[in-house]
């Protein structure tokens, strides 16, 4: 193939064409990358190369003058229009004037700029020449490839015409032979078709004659559906020829069908037959044109009775039967849909009420989920038959309420169990053993902590399931659990206040509190509540918070305006405050009880006529007995000592009354005037004594509680003494009792300085209120105290 004789268009800046411009001359090509390196420009992109090649092709064949003018345009500057372009910018346009271009270029540029412009143009000319030469060679290769293809096509088609003629002749021969065969067999085919129609007709006639026998066999086998199918198939023949040829067959068949109708009616009204079988009987009667509309109400009543029986023994099979029965009823009675919807709603309402009733007793979450999952599957199955009943939506709404009630009920049961443990072990009328209170305290702690852990484990089953029902309710369940713990701890705190007798306005949902008479609240219960509050604040709430973060994070169904559902900081502050109140309440109760004893001791006798003291008064034994009760309770419930007062830790005077020189001097005086003078000296001495801190901050330790109760009782004793007026013997009795208490109270606390100071204050108060304040001599005082100690030791040995 020869190339077309077309002279390529040369660039306007070239005066004569070179050998590289001619399509028939092959010139050495300069690599484009090297030329780009020579002129210092970066390699052009692939899309830019394709555009330039396309523009050069159009320029070579002169098909688009506008494209030819834009083909040589610089890729970095778009070509402006001829109307608005300046002479320096219109070099690639069709209206380019070289004289004007040179004049403007010389006027506006210096020599260095002209040289740079010359180098740039020379590079562009070389690029254009190379691109144009490559385009020619590419077209030449394409023309050669096209020529070779045409040659191969001519060679392959040369013998095709002869083969087509042979194929046509063979097809014609086959067609002629096929027509010959059809013509010869036409008559035989017609005869065969007539015989086949006759054979079918004879079969139908034979079926009609055999129909009574077939119907009787179906009746014996109770295959009523087959009997109805056979009779309805033969019914058109009986209607056409029943009065002539098939009269006897028609009569016998109708008698048999009357028996079938009777059997179907009996099955319909039989209570022993399943509802599905009765529905099938209705379908068969309807096919026999038997009036079944009057049976509608009866069947619906039967269905309602079946649903009531299903509520007592719900099984998957029975629900499947109900679903099939609903489908059959809709087919038989299309207008009974509203009634079936009512029955379906009544069925599931009663079944869900049964589940609600089971919630009154604490049932495991797994059992509850099994019941709810079964109800959900039943509702889904029946919804496929009666979608208008919207049973899945009803089940979802009801399930949501039931799960919420289950969570609330679980928290209420836990609260009652904690209350039972506290009340049972603190209201026993039997004598408490040494470790009984400690055991009760440990059981209460275990019940609180382990109860919360068990609840979390139970609730975890509610969100771990992957059923459609649980997935839809997962966020709500997480919020309910967190809200439940917040509400549980708040209600438990209120219940603690009610048990302690501090609050009577708290609404109590259980009857456990009836076992505790508010006016006779056991003091040990108050102390147990105080220690339990500390345990909940320091141990239980952090554990619950950690478990909630691990297993119940997320949620989001709660509105943001209500804040987070569980706030552990708020609960900790609540129990910290309640624990302090309970501890102070316990101290107040014990102090008031002992104060009543002291009040009775000092208000009963006539102190102005008191006899000379012979022994320590009996009220001291009662006082020590009460102190022993406090110590026994506190040591079993509260933790061990955190800080103990030593003699060196206390401030103030530590000198006993018998070693006080002022007191010895007072004992040697025998007249009232000098005693009154000594009274003034004591007051002056108190001004120079170092101040003592009697009451420190109350702590949850044995030492702190025991010392606080003891100090408050001694302060009360001081106040009761100040309300009386004593004679000499009365004052000496107070002195003896206080001196005995000084040695006895050392067994309870180590703060001997504080005890001595308070007992000294009681003596001073009695001294102030005495008409003749002459104390007992030290030997007599020691003798009476030793006698009391010996008596106590003897009583302990006899026990």
């Amino acid at each position: 193939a020869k190339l077309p004789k077309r002279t390529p268009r040369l660039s306007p800046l070239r005066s004569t064409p070179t050998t590289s411009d001619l399509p028939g001359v092959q010139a050495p090509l300069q690599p484009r990358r090297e030329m780009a390196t020579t002129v210092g420009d970066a390699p052009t992109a692939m899309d830019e190369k394709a555009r330039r090649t396309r523009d050069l092709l159009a320029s070579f064949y002169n098909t688009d003058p506008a494209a030819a003018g834009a083909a040589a345009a610089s890729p970095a500057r778009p070509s402006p229009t001829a109307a608005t372009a300046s002479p320096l910018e219109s070099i690639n346009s069709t209206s380019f004037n070289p004289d004007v271009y040179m004049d403007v270029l010389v006027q506006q540029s210096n020599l260095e700029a002209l040289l740079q412009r010359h180098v740039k143009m020379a590079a562009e000319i070389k690029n254009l020449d190379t691109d144009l030469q490559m385009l020619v060679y590419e077209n030449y290769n394409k023309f050669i490839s096209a020529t070779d293809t045409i040659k191969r096509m001519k060679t392959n088609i040369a013998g095709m015409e002869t083969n087509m003629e042979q194929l046509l002749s063979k097809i014609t021969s086959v067609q002629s032979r096929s027509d010959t065969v059809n013509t010869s067999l036409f008559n035989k085919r017609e005869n065969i078709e007539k015989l086949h129609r006759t054979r079918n007709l004879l079969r139908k006639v034979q079926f009609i004659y055999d129909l009574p026998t077939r119907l009787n066999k179906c009746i014996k086998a109770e295959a009523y559906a087959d009997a109805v199918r056979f009779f309805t198939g033969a019914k058109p023949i009986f209607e056409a020829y029943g009065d002539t040829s098939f009269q006897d067959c028609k009569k016998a068949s109708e008698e048999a069908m009357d028996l079938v109708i009777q059997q179907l009616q009996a099955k319909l009204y039989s209570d022993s037959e399943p509802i599905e079988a009765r529905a099938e009987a209705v379908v068969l009667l309807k096919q026999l044109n038997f009036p079944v509309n009057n049976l509608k109400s009866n069947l619906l009543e039967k269905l309602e009775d079946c649903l009531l029986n299903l509520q007592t023994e719900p099984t998957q099979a029975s629900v499947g039967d109900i679903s099939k029965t609903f489908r059959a009823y809709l087919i038989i009675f299309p207008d009974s849909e509203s009634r079936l919807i009512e029955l379906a709603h009544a069925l599931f309402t009663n079944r869900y009420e049964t589940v609600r009733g089971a919630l009154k007793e604490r049932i495991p979450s797994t059992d509850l989920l099994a019941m709810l999952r079964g109800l959900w599957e039943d509702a889904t199955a029946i919804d496929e038959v009666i979608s208008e009943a919207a049973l899945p939506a009803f089940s979802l709404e009801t399930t949501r309420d039931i799960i919420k009630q289950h969570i609330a009920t679980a928290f209420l049961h836990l609260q009652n169990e904690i209350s039972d443990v506290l009340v049972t072990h603190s209201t026993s009328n039997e004598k408490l053993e040494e470790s009984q209170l400690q055991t009760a305290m440990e059981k209460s702690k275990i019940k609180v902590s382990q109860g919360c852990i068990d609840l979390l484990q139970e609730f975890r089953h509610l969100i771990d399931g992957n059923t459609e029902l649980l997935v839809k309710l997962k966020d709500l369940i997480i919020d309910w659990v967190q809200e439940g713990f917040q509400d549980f701890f708040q209600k438990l705190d209120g219940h603690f206040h009610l048990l302690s007798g501090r609050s009577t306005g708290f609404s109590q949902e259980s009857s456990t509190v009836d076992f505790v008479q508010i006016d006779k609240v056991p003091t040990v219960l108050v102390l147990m509540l105080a220690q339990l509050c500390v345990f909940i604040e320091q141990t239980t709430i952090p554990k619950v918070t950690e478990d909630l973060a691990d297993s119940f994070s997320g949620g989001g169904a709660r509105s943001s305006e209500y804040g987070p559902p569980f706030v552990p900081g708020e609960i900790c502050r609540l129990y910290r405050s309640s624990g302090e109140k309970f501890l102070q309440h316990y101290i107040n109760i014990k102090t008031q009880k002992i104060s009543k004893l002291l009040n009775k001791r000092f208000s009963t006798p006539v102190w102005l006529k008191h006899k000379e003291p012979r022994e320590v008064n009996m009220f001291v034994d009662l006082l020590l007995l009460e102190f022993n009760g406090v110590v026994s309770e506190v040591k079993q419930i509260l933790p061990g000592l955190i800080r103990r007062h030593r003699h060196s830790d206390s401030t103030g005077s530590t000198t006993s009354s018998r070693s006080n020189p002022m007191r010895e001097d007072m004992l040697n005086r025998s007249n009232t005037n000098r005693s009154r003078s000594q009274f003034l000296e004591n007051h002056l001495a108190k001004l120079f004594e170092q101040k003592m801190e009697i009451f420190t901050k109350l702590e949850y330790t044995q030492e702190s509680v025991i010392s606080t109760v003891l100090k408050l009782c001694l302060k009360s004793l001081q106040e009761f003494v100040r309300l009386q007026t004593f004679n000499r013997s009365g004052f000496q009795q107070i002195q003896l009792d206080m001196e005995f208490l000084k040695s006895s109270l050392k067994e309870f606390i180590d703060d001997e300085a504080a005890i001595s100071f308070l007992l000294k204050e009681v003596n001073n108060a009695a001294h102030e209120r005495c008409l003749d304040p002459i104390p007992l001599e030290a030997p007599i005082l020691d003798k009476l105290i030793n006698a009391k100690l010996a008596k106590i030791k003897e009583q302990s040995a006899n026990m």
Side-chain angles (χ1 to χ4, degrees):
K2 295 183 180 180
L3 294 174
K5 295 181 180 180
R6 178 180 293 274
T7 302
R9 295 183 61 188
L10 302 178
S11 174
L13 296 179
R14 297 175 58 183
S15 59
T16 58
T18 62
T19 56
S20 62
D21 298 325
L22 300 179
V25 181
Q26 184 173 3
L29 300 178
Q30 183 180 359
R32 187 175 303 176
R33 184 179 302 273
E34 294 179 1
M35 289 186 288
T37 307
T38 302
V39 297
D41 296 334
T44 59
M46 293 301 297
D47 55 348
E48 185 65 24
K49 177 182 177 182
R51 184 185 65 80
R52 292 185 61 190
T53 303
R54 184 171 58 254
D55 293 342
L56 287 172
L57 181 62
S59 175
F60 178 77
Y61 290 103
N62 198 18
T63 58
D64 188 1
S74 175
R77 182 191 300 269
S79 179
T81 60
T84 60
S86 64
L88 293 178
E89 297 177 353
S90 61
I91 188 171
N92 294 322
S93 66
T94 56
S95 61
F96 175 69
N97 190 340
D99 297 333
V100 176
Y101 178 82
M102 289 302 298
D103 293 339
V104 175
L105 188 62
V106 171
Q107 291 176 4
Q108 295 182 358
S109 304
N110 54 17
L111 180 58
E112 184 179 356
L114 290 174
L115 291 176
Q116 292 178 357
R117 187 68 173 176
H118 168 71
V119 173
K120 182 177 181 181
M121 282 188 174
E124 290 180 355
I125 290 170
K126 288 182 180 181
N127 288 337
L128 292 174
D129 291 343
T130 302
D131 293 341
L132 193 58
Q133 185 178 6
M134 291 181 63
L135 180 62
V136 172
Y137 288 147
E138 289 176 1
N139 289 338
Y140 181 72
N141 291 333
K142 292 180 181 178
F143 287 147
I144 293 175
S145 177
T147 303
D148 294 340
T149 303
I150 293 172
K151 286 180 179 181
R152 287 195 300 271
M153 289 179 62
K154 287 182 178 181
T155 303
N156 295 334
I157 298 175
M160 187 177 294
E161 186 174 357
T162 303
N163 294 334
M164 294 299 293
E165 291 177 356
Q166 293 177 359
L167 179 60
L168 180 59
S169 63
K170 290 181 179 180
I171 292 175
T172 305
S173 174
V174 171
Q175 184 177 3
S176 63
R177 292 181 181 180
S178 177
D179 293 340
T180 302
V181 172
N182 289 334
T183 303
S184 62
L185 296 178
F186 177 75
N187 295 329
K188 294 182 180 180
R189 185 184 295 109
E190 289 291 333
N191 292 332
I192 291 174
E193 290 180 356
K194 288 181 181 179
L195 292 175
H196 182 69
R197 286 194 295 268
T198 304
R199 180 173 176 272
N200 289 337
L201 181 60
L202 291 175
R203 285 183 176 180
K204 292 181 181 180
V205 172
Q206 184 65 36
F207 176 79
I208 296 299
Y209 280 112
D210 294 341
L211 182 60
T213 305
R214 289 175 181 268
L215 294 177
N216 290 327
K217 289 182 178 179
C218 291
I219 292 172
K220 291 180 181 180
E222 295 184 356
Y224 302 117
D226 293 338
V228 172
R229 179 168 56 84
F230 294 152
F231 182 76
T232 54
K235 192 173 182 181
I237 298 177
F238 285 149
E239 292 177 354
Y241 306 103
D243 296 335
T244 57
S245 303
F246 305 109
Q247 184 175 4
D248 294 338
C249 293
K250 178 182 179 182
K251 183 177 180 181
S253 299
E254 288 178 348
E255 291 177 355
M257 291 310 298
D258 290 340
L259 185 59
V260 170
I261 291 175
Q262 293 177 5
Q263 295 293 337
L264 290 176
Q265 287 180 340
K267 181 180 290 189
L268 178 65
Y269 291 106
S270 176
D271 294 335
S272 60
E273 293 291 335
I275 188 65
E276 187 175 5
R278 295 202 293 267
E280 182 183 4
V282 175
V283 174
L284 296 177
L285 289 173
K286 194 174 183 180
Q287 292 178 0
L288 295 174
N289 295 327
F290 187 84
V292 295
N293 290 331
N294 55 348
L295 304 176
K296 179 177 179 181
S297 59
N298 182 270
L299 291 178
L300 290 176
E301 291 177 359
K302 294 287 185 182
L303 177 61
E304 187 173 358
D305 295 339
C306 178
L307 295 180
L308 292 176
N309 295 332
L310 179 62
Q311 296 172 15
T312 57
E313 298 180 359
T315 61
Q316 187 64 29
S318 59
V319 171
D321 294 340
I322 290 298
S323 177
K324 295 178 182 178
T325 306
F326 279 177
R327 191 184 302 276
Y329 271 71
L330 288 175
I331 296 174
I332 301 170
F333 308 113
D335 57 342
S336 64
E337 181 178 0
S338 59
R339 178 58 178 162
L340 293 177
I341 292 175
E342 293 178 1
L343 292 177
H345 275 286
L347 168 66
F348 280 91
T349 299
N350 292 331
R351 291 185 66 183
Y352 277 114
E353 286 301 323
T354 303
V355 177
R356 291 182 188 273
L359 291 180
K360 295 179 180 179
E361 300 294 333
R362 188 171 182 179
I363 61 175
S365 298
T366 52
D367 296 345
L368 176 64
L369 287 179
M371 291 188 288
L372 295 177
R373 190 181 298 110
L375 289 173
W376 173 261
E377 293 174 354
D378 296 345
T380 305
I382 296 181
D383 183 68
E384 296 177 356
V385 182
I386 321 175
S387 58
E388 290 78 4
L391 290 178
F394 172 77
S395 298
L396 182 64
E397 185 71 20
T398 309
T399 300
R400 187 184 69 174
D401 297 339
I402 288 176
I403 292 180
K404 186 176 183 180
Q405 181 182 354
H406 169 68
I407 294 174
T409 303
F411 282 115
L412 180 59
H413 278 290
L414 177 59
Q415 176 181 327
N416 291 339
E417 291 173 1
I418 296 172
S419 178
D420 290 341
V421 172
L422 290 171
V423 172
T424 302
H425 293 85
S426 61
T427 58
S428 177
N429 293 326
E430 299 179 1
K431 184 178 180 180
L432 296 177
E433 298 179 0
E434 182 65 24
S435 60
Q436 186 173 356
L437 289 179
Q438 184 177 0
T439 304
M441 190 71 249
E442 293 300 323
K443 287 183 178 180
S444 301
K445 292 179 180 180
I446 293 174
K447 177 58 67 176
V448 173
S449 60
Q450 190 62 38
C452 292
I453 294 174
D454 293 341
L455 280 186
L456 286 168
Q457 185 65 29
E458 281 285 319
F459 297 152
R460 197 173 287 114
H461 294 298
L462 300 176
I463 61 175
D464 287 344
N466 55 0
T467 60
E468 179 184 2
L469 183 64
L470 296 181
V471 170
K472 292 181 178 180
L473 298 176
K474 182 175 181 179
D475 290 340
L476 284 173
I477 293 174
I478 291 175
D479 286 343
W480 290 337
V481 171
Q482 294 186 4
E483 291 176 2
F485 272 104
Q486 183 81 6
D487 187 63
F488 163 73
F489 284 118
Q490 291 177 347
K491 288 185 176 180
L492 184 64
D493 175 74
H495 184 69
F496 284 172
H497 282 275
L498 185 60
L499 290 178
S500 68
R502 297 189 70 256
S503 174
T504 57
F506 182 75
S507 59
Q508 180 63 24
E509 300 179 12
S510 64
S511 59
T512 308
V513 74
D514 295 340
F515 297 99
V516 182
Q517 298 182 9
I518 301 301
D519 56 342
K520 296 181 180 180
V521 177
T523 55
V524 66
L525 176 60
V526 180
L527 187 59
M528 292 173 65
L529 291 175
Q531 183 61 20
L532 192 58
C533 287
V534 177
F535 176 78
I536 292 174
E537 176 201 353
Q538 297 179 355
T539 304
T540 305
I541 295 178
K543 177 62 177 175
V544 170
T545 304
E546 181 181 355
D547 291 345
L548 286 177
D550 291 341
S551 303
F552 294 89
S553 60
R558 179 187 175 95
S559 178
S560 59
E561 63 182 4
Y562 296 105
F566 182 70
V567 186
E570 178 181 345
I571 300 299
C572 288
R573 289 191 295 271
L574 178 64
Y575 277 87
R576 187 182 307 116
S577 175
S578 297
E580 294 173 355
K581 292 177 181 177
F582 289 142
L583 192 60
Q584 187 62 49
H585 186 48
Y586 171 80
I587 292 174
N588 293 340
I589 293 176
K590 285 297 183 181
T591 305
Q592 290 174 5
K593 183 177 181 180
I594 297 175
S595 296
K596 291 181 180 179
L597 175 65
L598 296 176
N599 186 25
K600 184 177 181 181
R601 162 71 180 106
F602 284 95
S603 60
T604 300
V606 180
W607 290 99
L608 291 176
K609 298 181 180 181
H610 200 279
K611 296 180 180 180
E612 183 178 353
R614 301 286 183 178
E615 61 180 356
V616 177
N617 193 272
M618 185 179 62
F619 104 92
V620 176
D621 297 332
L622 298 177
L623 184 61
L624 293 176
L625 182 63
E626 292 294 333
F627 285 154
N628 281 322
V630 174
V631 172
S632 177
E633 294 176 355
V634 170
K635 285 187 176 181
Q636 293 186 64
I637 296 176
L638 293 182
L641 303 180
I642 297 177
R643 177 178 59 84
R644 298 180 63 89
H645 291 283
R646 312 306 302 178
H647 300 298
S648 58
D649 297 334
S650 301
T651 58
S653 176
T654 59
T655 306
S656 64
S657 60
R658 282 182 288 177
S659 62
N660 191 338
M662 294 185 178
R663 181 62 55 89
E664 292 179 356
D665 185 41
M666 182 183 66
L667 293 176
N668 295 326
R669 299 179 183 179
S670 59
N671 57 70
T672 305
N673 293 329
R674 297 193 64 179
S675 296
R676 290 177 180 176
S677 176
Q678 181 63 32
F679 171 71
L680 295 176
E681 292 179 2
N682 288 338
H683 274 283
L684 292 175
K686 291 171 80 174
L687 297 177
F688 297 97
E689 286 182 353
Q690 185 177 358
K691 296 297 181 182
M692 176 177 291
E693 184 181 2
I694 300 299
F695 297 100
T696 57
K697 182 180 179 181
L698 186 60
E699 299 176 356
Y700 290 92
T701 60
Q702 301 172 8
E703 173 69 17
S704 179
V705 174
I706 295 173
S707 62
T708 302
V709 173
L710 185 57
K711 292 173 183 178
L712 287 174
C713 293
L714 293 180
K715 289 296 291 184
S716 299
L717 177 60
Q718 178 184 354
E719 296 301 323
F720 287 128
V721 168
R722 287 178 177 176
L723 296 177
Q724 304 298 327
T725 302
F726 303 93
N727 61 359
R728 179 190 302 178
S729 299
F731 169 67
Q732 292 175 351
Q733 183 68 53
I734 298 296
Q735 180 190 4
L736 175 62
D737 295 341
M738 296 304 104
E739 192 65 28
F740 179 78
L741 283 175
K742 181 185 296 186
S743 59
S744 300
L745 293 180
K746 293 179 183 179
E747 301 177 2
F748 302 114
I749 60 174
D750 290 344
D751 194 0
E752 182 180 353
I755 297 301
S756 299
F757 177 80
L758 291 173
L759 292 175
K760 178 182 176 182
E761 290 295 314
V762 174
N763 278 329
N764 291 338
H767 183 273
E768 294 175 2
R769 300 296 299 172
C770 181
L771 299 177
D772 187 15
I774 299 177
L776 286 174
E777 296 181 358
I780 299 176
L781 194 63
D782 292 338
K783 181 179 179 180
L784 294 176
I785 292 175
N786 292 331
K788 180 65 175 178
L789 293 175
K791 183 178 180 180
I792 294 175
K793 185 176 181 180
E794 182 182 357
Q795 292 176 352
S796 300
N798 295 332
M799 295 176 61

